[in-house]
């Protein structure tokens, strides 16, 4: 587990630094992209050394023979680009037999840190995992970390040559993505085409957000999504596990708030470990100061009430120091459970700010604001101070905070900390601001556009189940709100995006129906985060490819 945590933290730190975005035509050299040896598929060296290890237990053993070695007496057509989801960014075709998995072929690595990637691929393709080897054998798949200085850590190069495959990258994340390309390329008995794939994502954040607070999802279902996300080259899984309806993860610091149906910490650890093997960071979200109804149920003394005594549903009274203490207790507790670098603080839909006159309606908040920030301070200032304090709590654990866009306010004397990234999801709030306001202020933004990327069970409030086709044909990471893209000069500030499932009406679909409903939207989303340009395939051909690869 410690190895997985180390890898997850290392991966996340690299991704936060951003991706090197390179647009490349087929056959063009890729500068800072993952490189490799001049003949990364190996030389003529061969030794009669017995392989170590074996196939993963229960994995199928292909009956096909190894790919034939190239021969001067045989000619091959020029290869075609492998069809994968997401599509590879560049492929240099070549003439040769390509590569197919067969019993007895090996997966070898140049670094013990690639053992997870090597064992996983060997088990999936029915190969033998041989560990670290220097010799070269026919049919080998060789995984290599080459430490390319300045390269995107998620980039990779896959070379199919002479009946062998070499996958290299500057970090193990890129090598893993190369194994996903190979897995898809040979799916269903196909042959990985001869030539060189050079590939990298356009965006460093490619996520799926799941609301497990309003609807209980089993640990097994979530693990299945992790496997699906890994094969699609997503690298974030956000778990929204606290809301008005329930609190869904076991707690030692406040067991009284935990709902009857919940995930145990042991189950979460297994999910986190499985995700780490697939280079996915699990991002926790404890939304505050709104959406805390499950906490308030166990602690009614924290409930925000108006001057007239009316209850603000799900909102804690942020003038009460006990409210901050219980939320910080939880943030500190779960920092040990979620080792990834990201932490979502929520911050949206605080009901104290959803009335026309917050100061008059909630005088205790107005008094606390003036006491903390001076005579002219407002409830917005006090709420921004709350967000900053929670960011400081997770920052102490070396976590990078993010909050929903309606948790940021214009014209306040208290400014949200510069390192809090904006999760832009809506423009429906009071005083809604266009995305450009956040971008022009220099903030980093993550795209959760509710027009395209929100799958809301029961379709309330004019939400409609999104279609993969609409995402594929109309959305890009620069389309942050509605259907209009922000200017291209802000592209580097948009870190990526999330497709999100929200369970407002939890019984509207079973978890299996959710899995089926999000299948094509997930595939369209990863395509556009990996390469925002116009896809080479029509939607019909893209869907047919997805069906073939399933």
């Amino acid at each position: 587990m410690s190895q997985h945590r180390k890898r997850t933290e290392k991966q996340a730190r690299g991704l936060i630094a951003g991706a090197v975005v390179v647009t490349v035509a087929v056959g063009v050299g890729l500068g800072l992209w993952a490189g490799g040896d001049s003949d990364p598929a190996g030389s003529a060296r061969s030794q009669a050394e017995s392989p170590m290890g074996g196939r993963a237990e229960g994995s199928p053993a292909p009956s096909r023979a190894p790919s034939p070695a190239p021969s001067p007496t045989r000619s091959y057509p020029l290869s075609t680009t492998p069809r994968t989801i997401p599509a590879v960014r560049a492929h240099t075709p070549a003439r040769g037999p390509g590569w197919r998995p067969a019993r007895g072929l090996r997966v070898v690595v140049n670094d013990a840190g690639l053992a997870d990637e090597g064992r996983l691929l060997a088990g999936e393709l029915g190969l033998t995992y041989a560990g670290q080897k220097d010799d070269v054998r026919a049919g080998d798949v060789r995984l290599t970390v080459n430490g390319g200085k300045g390269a995107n850590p998620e980039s990779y190069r896959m070379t199919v040559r002479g009946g062998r495959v070499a996958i290299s990258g500057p970090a193990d994340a890129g090598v893993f993505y190369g194994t996903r390309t190979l897995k898809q390329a040979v799916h269903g008995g196909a042959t990985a085409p001869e030539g060189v794939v050079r590939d990298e994502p356009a965006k460093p954040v490619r996520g799926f957000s799941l609301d497990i607070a309003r609807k209980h999802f089993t640990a097994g279902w979530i693990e299945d999504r992790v496997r699906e996300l890994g094969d699609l080259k997503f690298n974030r899984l956000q778990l929204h596990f606290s809301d008005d309806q329930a609190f869904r993860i076991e707690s030692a610091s406040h067991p009284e708030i935990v709902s009857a149906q919940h995930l145990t910490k042991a189950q979460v650890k297994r999910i986190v470990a499985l995700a780490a093997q697939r280079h996915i960071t699990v991002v926790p979200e404890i939304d505050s100061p709104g959406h805390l109804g499950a906490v308030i149920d166990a602690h009614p003394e924290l409930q925000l009430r108006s001057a007239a005594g009316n209850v603000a549903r799900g909102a804690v009274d942020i003038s009460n120091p006990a409210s901050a203490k219980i939320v910080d207790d939880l943030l500190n507790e779960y920092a040990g459970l979620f080792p990834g670098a990201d932490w979502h603080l929520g911050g949206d839909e605080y009901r104290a700010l959803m009335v026309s006159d917050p100061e008059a309606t909630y005088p205790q908040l107005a008094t606390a604001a003036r006491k903390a920030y001076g005579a002219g301070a407002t409830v917005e200032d006090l709420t921004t101070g709350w967000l900053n304090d929670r960011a400081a709590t997770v920052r102490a654990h070396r976590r990078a905070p993010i909050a929903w866009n309606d948790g940021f306010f214009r014209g306040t004397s208290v400014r949200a900390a510069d390192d809090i990234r904006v999760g832009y999801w809506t423009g429906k709030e009071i005083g809604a601001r266009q995305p450009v306001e956040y971008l022009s202020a220099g903030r980093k933004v993550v795209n959760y556009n509710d027009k395209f990327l929100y799958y809301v069970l029961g379709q309330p409030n004019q939400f409609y189940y999104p279609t993969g086709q609409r995402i594929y044909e109309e959305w890009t990471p620069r389309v942050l709100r509605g259907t209009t893209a922000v200017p291209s000069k802000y592209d580097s500030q948009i870190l990526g995006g999330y497709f999100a499932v929200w369970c407002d009406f939890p019984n509207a679909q079973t978890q299996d129906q959710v899995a089926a409903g999000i299948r094509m939207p997930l595939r369209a989303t990863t395509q556009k985060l990996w390469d925002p340009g116009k896809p080479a395939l029509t939607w019909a051909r893209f869907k047919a490819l997805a069906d073939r690869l399933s």
Side-chain angles (χ1 to χ4, degrees), residues 239-471:
L239 295 179
H240 175 91
F241 61 91
S242 170
D243 213 303
D244 297 343
Q245 293 79 2
F247 191 97
R248 297 285 190 188
I249 295 180
E250 175 187 357
S251 172
S253 65
H254 290 282
E256 72 280 2
I257 71 174
V258 179
S259 302
Q261 280 191 311
H262 65 271
L263 298 176
T264 66
K265 286 188 175 180
Q267 288 173 321
V268 174
K269 287 177 181 177
R270 286 195 292 271
I271 291 167
V272 169
L274 182 68
Q277 290 175 342
R278 287 155 172 79
H279 296 273
I280 296 170
T281 298
V282 182
V283 181
E285 182 192 354
I286 299 178
D287 202 343
S288 79
H291 294 281
L292 284 172
V295 172
I296 293 169
D297 285 345
H299 292 274
E301 71 278 8
L302 304 181
Q303 175 68 64
L304 176 64
R305 296 179 183 274
S306 70
N310 297 321
V311 167
R313 184 170 183 265
V316 294
D317 186 342
I318 60 176
S319 69
N320 183 348
S323 296
K325 182 182 184 306
I326 193 169
V327 173
D328 282 347
D329 286 346
L330 296 168
L331 296 176
N332 288 321
E333 176 181 0
Y334 292 112
L337 187 61
F338 296 97
D342 292 355
W343 198 295
H344 205 299
L345 298 171
D348 64 314
E349 297 180 327
Y350 186 45
R351 291 186 179 271
L353 297 174
M354 298 170 71
V355 297
S356 59
D357 191 344
E359 284 71 27
T361 307
Y362 301 101
Q364 74 274 36
L365 299 185
T367 299
R370 291 191 294 268
K371 182 178 178 181
Y373 302 112
T378 64
V379 176
E380 284 91 344
D381 289 314
L382 188 68
T383 308
T384 302
W386 169 280
L387 178 64
N388 285 340
D389 290 344
R390 307 294 77 74
T393 299
V394 300
R395 200 182 292 117
H397 296 282
R398 294 186 292 180
R399 304 297 193 265
I402 182 172
W404 298 114
N405 63 283
D406 50 332
F408 297 79
F409 313 103
R410 64 156 65 94
T412 56
S413 60
V414 180
R415 174 183 167 85
D418 290 341
D419 68 332
I420 304 176
R421 293 159 294 160
V422 178
Y424 200 101
W425 72 281
T426 189
K428 299 173 183 176
E429 75 276 14
I430 296 173
R433 289 185 285 167
Q434 292 290 335
V436 168
E437 285 199 42
Y438 301 91
L439 294 165
S440 62
R443 290 200 180 273
K444 301 289 187 181
V445 176
V446 179
N447 193 326
Y448 293 79
N449 187 329
D450 63 351
K451 280 270 188 192
F452 289 92
L453 306 177
Y454 264 34
Y455 192 96
V456 185
L457 297 196
Q459 303 185 105
N461 302 321
Q462 296 183 316
F463 283 112
Y464 301 96
Y465 294 132
T467 68
Q469 182 173 1
R470 190 158 178 254
I471 297 168

Side-chain angles (χ1 to χ4, degrees), residues 123-144:
E124 291 169 330
L125 300 187
L127 310 179
T128 297
Y129 177 66
Q132 290 179 267
K133 296 292 180 184
D134 293 326
D135 67 314
V136 176
R137 294 185 182 178
D140 275 355
V141 177
R142 180 170 293 276
L143 309 182
T144 302

